[in-house]
Coordinates of all heavy atoms in Angstrom, one line a residue:
L1563 N 16.9 14.2 -6.4 CA 16.4 13.1 -5.5 C 14.9 13.4 -5.2 O 14.5 14.5 -4.8 CB 17.1 13.1 -4.2 CG 18.6 13.0 -4.3 CD1 19.3 13.0 -3.0 CD2 19.1 11.7 -5.0
Y1564 N 14.1 12.3 -5.3 CA 12.7 12.3 -5.1 C 12.3 11.1 -4.3 O 12.9 10.1 -4.3 CB 11.9 12.3 -6.4 CG 12.2 13.5 -7.3 CD1 13.3 13.5 -8.1 CD2 11.4 14.6 -7.2 CE1 13.6 14.6 -8.9 CE2 11.7 15.7 -8.0 CZ 12.8 15.6 -8.8 OH 13.1 16.8 -9.6
L1565 N 11.3 11.3 -3.4 CA 10.8 10.2 -2.5 C 9.3 10.0 -2.7 O 8.5 10.9 -2.7 CB 11.0 10.6 -1.0 CG 10.5 9.6 0.0 CD1 11.2 8.4 0.1 CD2 10.4 10.3 1.4
R1566 N 9.0 8.8 -2.8 CA 7.5 8.3 -2.7 C 7.3 7.9 -1.2 O 7.9 7.0 -0.7 CB 7.2 7.1 -3.5 CG 5.8 6.6 -3.5 CD 4.8 7.6 -3.6 NE 3.5 7.1 -4.2 CZ 2.4 7.8 -4.3 NH1 2.4 9.1 -3.8 NH2 1.3 7.3 -4.8
H1567 N 6.7 8.8 -0.5 CA 6.5 8.7 1.0 C 5.3 7.8 1.3 O 4.2 8.2 1.3 CB 6.3 10.1 1.6 CG 6.4 10.2 3.0 ND1 7.3 9.4 3.8 CD2 5.8 10.9 3.9 CE1 7.3 9.7 5.1 NE2 6.3 10.6 5.2
H1568 N 5.6 6.5 1.4 CA 4.5 5.5 1.6 C 3.8 5.5 2.9 O 2.6 5.3 3.0 CB 5.1 4.1 1.4 CG 5.4 3.7 -0.1 ND1 4.4 3.0 -0.8 CD2 6.4 4.0 -0.9 CE1 4.9 2.8 -2.1 NE2 6.1 3.4 -2.1
N1569 N 4.6 5.9 3.9 CA 4.0 6.0 5.3 C 4.8 7.1 6.1 O 5.9 7.3 5.9 CB 4.2 4.7 6.0 CG 3.3 3.6 5.6 OD1 2.1 3.7 5.6 ND2 3.9 2.5 5.2
N1570 N 4.1 7.6 7.2 CA 4.8 8.1 8.3 C 5.2 7.0 9.0 O 4.5 6.3 9.8 CB 3.8 9.0 9.1 CG 4.5 9.6 10.3 OD1 5.3 9.0 10.9 ND2 4.0 10.7 10.8
E1571 N 6.5 6.6 8.8 CA 7.1 5.3 9.5 C 7.0 5.3 11.0 O 6.8 4.3 11.5 CB 8.5 5.0 8.9 CG 8.6 4.9 7.5 CD 8.0 3.7 6.9 OE1 7.5 2.8 7.6 OE2 7.9 3.6 5.6
T1572 N 7.2 6.5 11.6 CA 7.1 6.6 13.0 C 5.7 6.1 13.5 O 5.6 5.3 14.4 CB 7.4 8.0 13.5 OG1 8.7 8.3 13.2 CG2 7.2 8.1 15.0
A1573 N 4.7 6.6 12.8 CA 3.3 6.2 13.3 C 3.0 4.8 12.9 O 2.3 4.1 13.6 CB 2.3 7.3 12.6
Y1574 N 3.5 4.4 11.7 CA 3.3 3.1 11.2 C 3.8 2.0 12.2 O 3.1 1.1 12.5 CB 3.9 2.9 9.9 CG 3.8 1.5 9.3 CD1 2.6 1.1 8.8 CD2 4.9 0.7 9.1 CE1 2.5 -0.3 8.3 CE2 4.8 -0.6 8.7 CZ 3.6 -1.1 8.2 OH 3.5 -2.3 7.7
Y1575 N 5.0 2.2 12.6 CA 5.6 1.1 13.5 C 5.1 1.3 14.9 O 4.9 0.3 15.6 CB 7.1 1.2 13.5 CG 7.7 0.6 12.3 CD1 8.2 1.3 11.2 CD2 7.9 -0.8 12.2 CE1 8.8 0.7 10.1 CE2 8.5 -1.5 11.2 CZ 8.9 -0.7 10.1 OH 9.5 -1.4 9.1
K1576 N 4.6 2.5 15.3 CA 3.9 2.5 16.6 C 2.6 1.9 16.5 O 2.2 1.1 17.5 CB 3.7 4.1 16.9 CG 3.0 4.3 18.3 CD 2.9 5.7 18.6 CE 2.3 6.0 20.0 NZ 2.1 7.4 20.2
G1577 N 1.9 2.0 15.4 CA 0.6 1.3 15.2 C 0.8 -0.2 15.2 O 0.0 -0.9 15.8
L1578 N 1.9 -0.7 14.6 CA 2.2 -2.2 14.6 C 2.4 -2.7 16.0 O 2.0 -3.7 16.4 CB 3.4 -2.5 13.7 CG 3.2 -2.4 12.1 CD1 4.5 -2.7 11.5 CD2 2.1 -3.3 11.7
S1579 N 3.2 -1.8 16.7 CA 3.5 -2.2 18.1 C 2.2 -2.3 19.0 O 2.1 -3.2 19.8 CB 4.4 -1.2 18.7 OG 4.8 -1.6 20.1
L1580 N 1.4 -1.4 18.8 CA 0.1 -1.4 19.6 C -0.8 -2.6 19.2 O -1.5 -3.3 20.1 CB -0.6 -0.1 19.4 CG 0.0 1.2 20.0 CD1 -0.7 2.4 19.5 CD2 0.0 1.0 21.5
S1581 N -0.8 -3.0 17.9 CA -1.6 -4.1 17.5 C -1.0 -5.5 17.7 O -1.7 -6.5 17.9 CB -1.9 -4.0 16.0 OG -2.6 -2.8 15.7
E1582 N 0.3 -5.6 17.8 CA 1.0 -6.8 18.0 C 0.8 -7.5 19.3 O 0.9 -6.7 20.3 CB 2.5 -6.6 17.7 CG 3.3 -7.9 17.7 CD 2.9 -8.9 16.7 OE1 2.8 -8.6 15.5 OE2 2.5 -10.0 17.1
K1583 N 0.6 -8.8 19.4 CA 0.5 -9.5 20.7 C 1.8 -10.1 21.1 O 2.0 -10.4 22.3 CB -0.6 -10.5 20.6 CG -2.0 -9.9 20.4 CD -3.1 -11.0 20.3 CE -4.5 -10.2 20.2 NZ -5.6 -11.3 20.1
N1584 N 2.7 -10.4 20.1 CA 3.9 -11.1 20.5 C 4.9 -10.0 21.0 O 5.1 -9.0 20.5 CB 4.7 -11.7 19.2 CG 5.9 -12.3 19.4 OD1 6.9 -11.6 19.8 ND2 6.1 -13.6 19.1
I1585 N 5.3 -10.2 22.4 CA 6.0 -9.2 23.1 C 7.3 -8.8 22.5 O 7.7 -7.7 22.4 CB 6.2 -9.7 24.6 CG1 6.8 -8.5 25.5 CG2 7.1 -10.9 24.6 CD1 5.9 -7.3 25.5
F1586 N 7.9 -9.8 21.8 CA 9.3 -9.6 21.2 C 9.1 -8.6 20.0 O 9.8 -7.6 19.8 CB 10.0 -10.9 20.8 CG 11.3 -10.7 20.1 CD1 12.4 -10.2 20.6 CD2 11.4 -10.8 18.6 CE1 13.6 -10.0 20.0 CE2 12.5 -10.6 17.9 CZ 13.6 -10.2 18.6
K1587 N 8.1 -8.9 19.2 CA 7.8 -8.2 18.0 C 7.3 -6.7 18.5 O 7.7 -5.7 17.8 CB 6.7 -8.8 17.1 CG 7.2 -10.0 16.3 CD 6.2 -10.5 15.5 CE 6.7 -11.7 14.6 NZ 5.7 -12.3 13.8
K1588 N 6.6 -6.6 19.5 CA 6.0 -5.4 20.0 C 7.2 -4.5 20.3 O 7.2 -3.3 20.1 CB 5.1 -5.7 21.3 CG 4.4 -4.5 21.8 CD 3.6 -4.8 23.0 CE 2.3 -5.4 22.6 NZ 1.3 -4.4 22.1
I1589 N 8.3 -5.0 21.0 CA 9.5 -4.2 21.4 C 10.2 -3.7 20.1 O 10.6 -2.6 20.1 CB 10.4 -5.0 22.3 CG1 9.6 -5.2 23.7 CG2 11.7 -4.3 22.5 CD1 10.3 -6.2 24.6
I1590 N 10.4 -4.7 19.2 CA 11.1 -4.3 17.9 C 10.4 -3.2 17.2 O 11.1 -2.3 16.8 CB 11.2 -5.6 17.1 CG1 12.2 -6.7 17.7 CG2 11.7 -5.1 15.7 CD1 13.7 -6.2 17.7
Y1591 N 9.1 -3.3 17.1 CA 8.3 -2.3 16.3 C 8.4 -1.0 17.0 O 8.5 0.1 16.4 CB 6.8 -2.7 16.1 CG 6.6 -3.9 15.3 CD1 5.6 -4.8 15.5 CD2 7.4 -4.1 14.1 CE1 5.4 -5.8 14.7 CE2 7.2 -5.2 13.3 CZ 6.2 -6.0 13.6 OH 5.9 -7.1 12.7
S1592 N 8.4 -1.0 18.4 CA 8.5 0.2 19.2 C 9.8 0.9 19.0 O 9.9 2.2 18.9 CB 8.2 -0.1 20.6 OG 8.2 1.1 21.4
I1593 N 10.9 0.1 19.0 CA 12.2 0.7 18.8 C 12.3 1.3 17.3 O 12.9 2.4 17.1 CB 13.3 -0.3 19.0 CG1 13.4 -0.7 20.5 CG2 14.7 0.2 18.6 CD1 14.2 -1.9 20.9
E1594 N 11.8 0.6 16.4 CA 11.9 1.1 15.0 C 11.2 2.4 14.9 O 11.6 3.3 14.2 CB 11.4 0.0 14.1 CG 11.6 0.1 12.6 CD 13.0 -0.3 12.2 OE1 13.9 -0.5 13.0 OE2 13.2 -0.4 11.0
S1595 N 10.0 2.5 15.6 CA 9.3 3.8 15.5 C 10.1 4.9 16.0 O 10.1 6.0 15.4 CB 8.0 3.6 16.4 OG 7.3 4.8 16.5
L1596 N 10.8 4.6 17.1 CA 11.6 5.7 17.7 C 12.7 6.1 16.8 O 13.1 7.3 16.7 CB 12.1 5.3 19.1 CG 11.2 5.2 20.3 CD1 11.8 4.5 21.4 CD2 10.6 6.5 20.6
K1597 N 13.4 5.1 16.2 CA 14.5 5.4 15.2 C 14.0 6.3 14.1 O 14.7 7.2 13.6 CB 15.1 4.1 14.7 CG 16.0 3.4 15.7 CD 16.5 2.1 15.0 CE 17.3 1.2 15.9 NZ 17.8 0.0 15.3
Y1598 N 12.8 6.0 13.7 CA 12.3 6.7 12.4 C 12.0 8.2 12.8 O 12.0 9.0 11.9 CB 11.1 6.0 11.8 CG 11.4 5.1 10.7 CD1 11.2 3.7 10.8 CD2 11.9 5.6 9.5 CE1 11.5 2.9 9.8 CE2 12.3 4.7 8.4 CZ 12.1 3.3 8.6 OH 12.3 2.5 7.6
T1599 N 11.7 8.5 14.0 CA 11.3 9.8 14.4 C 12.4 10.9 13.9 O 12.0 11.8 13.3 CB 11.1 9.9 16.0 OG1 10.1 9.0 16.4 CG2 10.7 11.3 16.3
G1600 N 13.6 10.6 14.3 CA 14.7 11.5 13.9 C 15.0 11.3 12.4 O 15.3 12.3 11.7
Y1601 N 15.1 10.0 11.9 CA 15.5 9.7 10.6 C 14.7 10.4 9.5 O 15.2 11.0 8.6 CB 15.4 8.3 10.4 CG 16.0 7.7 9.1 CD1 17.4 7.6 9.0 CD2 15.2 7.3 8.1 CE1 18.0 7.1 7.8 CE2 15.8 6.8 7.0 CZ 17.2 6.7 6.8 OH 17.8 6.2 5.6
Q1602 N 13.3 10.4 9.7 CA 12.6 11.0 8.6 C 12.5 12.5 8.6 O 12.5 13.1 7.6 CB 11.1 10.4 8.6 CG 10.3 10.7 9.8 CD 8.9 9.8 9.7 OE1 8.8 8.9 8.9 NE2 8.0 10.2 10.6
K1603 N 12.7 13.0 9.9 CA 12.7 14.5 9.9 C 13.9 15.0 9.2 O 13.9 16.1 8.6 CB 12.5 15.0 11.4 CG 11.1 14.9 11.9 CD 11.0 15.7 13.2 CE 9.6 15.7 13.7 NZ 9.4 16.4 15.0
K1604 N 15.0 14.4 9.5 CA 16.3 14.8 9.0 C 16.3 14.6 7.4 O 16.8 15.4 6.7 CB 17.4 14.0 9.6 CG 18.9 14.3 9.1 CD 19.9 13.4 9.7 CE 19.7 12.0 9.4 NZ 20.8 11.2 10.0
L1605 N 15.8 13.5 6.9 CA 16.0 13.0 5.6 C 15.0 13.7 4.6 O 15.3 14.0 3.5 CB 15.8 11.5 5.5 CG 16.7 10.8 4.5 CD1 18.2 11.0 4.9 CD2 16.5 9.3 4.5
L1606 N 13.7 13.9 5.1 CA 12.8 14.5 4.2 C 13.2 15.8 3.5 O 12.7 16.1 2.4 CB 11.4 14.7 4.9 CG 10.7 13.3 5.2 CD1 9.4 13.6 6.0 CD2 10.4 12.5 4.0
K1607 N 14.0 16.6 4.2 CA 14.5 17.8 3.7 C 15.5 17.8 2.4 O 15.8 18.7 1.8 CB 15.2 18.7 4.7 CG 14.2 19.1 5.9 CD 14.9 19.7 7.1 CE 14.0 20.0 8.1 NZ 14.7 20.6 9.3
K1608 N 16.0 16.5 2.3 CA 17.0 16.3 1.3 C 16.5 16.1 -0.1 O 17.2 16.1 -1.1 CB 17.9 15.1 1.7 CG 18.7 15.3 3.0 CD 19.6 14.1 3.2 CE 20.3 14.3 4.6 NZ 21.3 15.4 4.5

Side-chain angles (χ1 to χ4, degrees):
L1563 306 177
Y1564 298 87
L1565 175 70
R1566 178 50 153 172
H1567 193 36
H1568 284 264
N1569 287 305
N1570 176 329
E1571 300 292 354
T1572 296
Y1574 175 72
Y1575 279 100
K1576 183 178 180 181
L1578 286 181
S1579 179
L1580 291 171
S1581 296
E1582 183 57 60
K1583 293 182 178 178
N1584 180 297
I1585 189 64
F1586 177 72
K1587 288 183 179 179
K1588 187 181 280 287
I1589 292 168
I1590 291 293
Y1591 292 148
S1592 182
I1593 292 170
E1594 194 79 343
S1595 174
L1596 289 171
K1597 287 182 183 180
Y1598 267 115
T1599 301
Y1601 188 77
Q1602 63 188 13
K1603 281 191 176 182
K1604 176 181 70 177
L1605 217 61
L1606 289 176
K1607 297 174 183 177
K1608 297 183 183 293

